[in-house]
Amino acid sequence: DHTAIDAAHIHAWSDSHNDRIQNGMALSKLCHWAYDAGLITVTKNMQIKVSHWVRHEQHEHVNYLLELDGMPFHLPENPTHHPNEQHFEWHRKHRFNKW
């Protein structure tokens, strides 16, 4: 009854109240936490970007995130299910850039 994958909002539910599929993505529980905390994001080129804070923190609990930096963000096969870039833009501006 448990899974390692979470359904995550791209543009935070608390701000958007948007449950449309284009505002969602599937993430591991660790990546979901890091995304919500603003430690990782997705670029316009659909690559994972890790916060500068993680690079400088050198803490064992966040160093694993460095391996994700620059990796491609995999999109669903069906283009109608692709995330809306505006949601990622909101995340980069309001969550990621705080670090």
Side-chain angles (χ1 to χ4, degrees):
D1 295 324
H2 297 284
T3 180
I5 302 298
D6 277 349
H9 289 94
I10 299 169
H11 184 154
W13 166 257
S14 61
D15 182 69
S16 70
H17 299 283
N18 180 343
D19 268 339
R20 292 193 177 107
I21 197 164
Q22 295 80 10
N23 187 37
M25 58 184 166
L27 295 175
S28 72
K29 291 182 182 297
L30 294 172
C31 287
H32 189 172
W33 165 81
Y35 184 84
D36 285 352
L39 299 176
I40 62 173
T41 197
V42 177
T43 68
K44 287 183 181 183
N45 296 326
M46 292 294 138
Q47 290 183 321
I48 299 167
K49 184 173 181 177
V50 177
S51 165
H52 292 289
W53 180 86
V54 174
R55 290 187 188 101
H56 297 292
E57 181 61 19
Q58 297 300 314
H59 191 279
E60 63 185 271
H61 298 296
V62 294
N63 280 344
Y64 71 90
L65 294 173
L66 293 173
E67 297 176 21
L68 300 175
D69 199 41
M71 292 188 73
F73 179 80
H74 298 286
L75 295 169
E77 288 183 21
N78 185 337
T80 63
H81 296 163
H82 287 192
N84 183 318
E85 164 55 29
Q86 290 176 338
H87 298 311
F88 285 124
E89 185 177 332
W90 177 90
H91 182 266
R92 290 189 299 267
K93 182 178 178 183
H94 296 280
R95 294 287 195 265
F96 186 73
N97 282 335
K98 73 178 185 177
W99 297 102

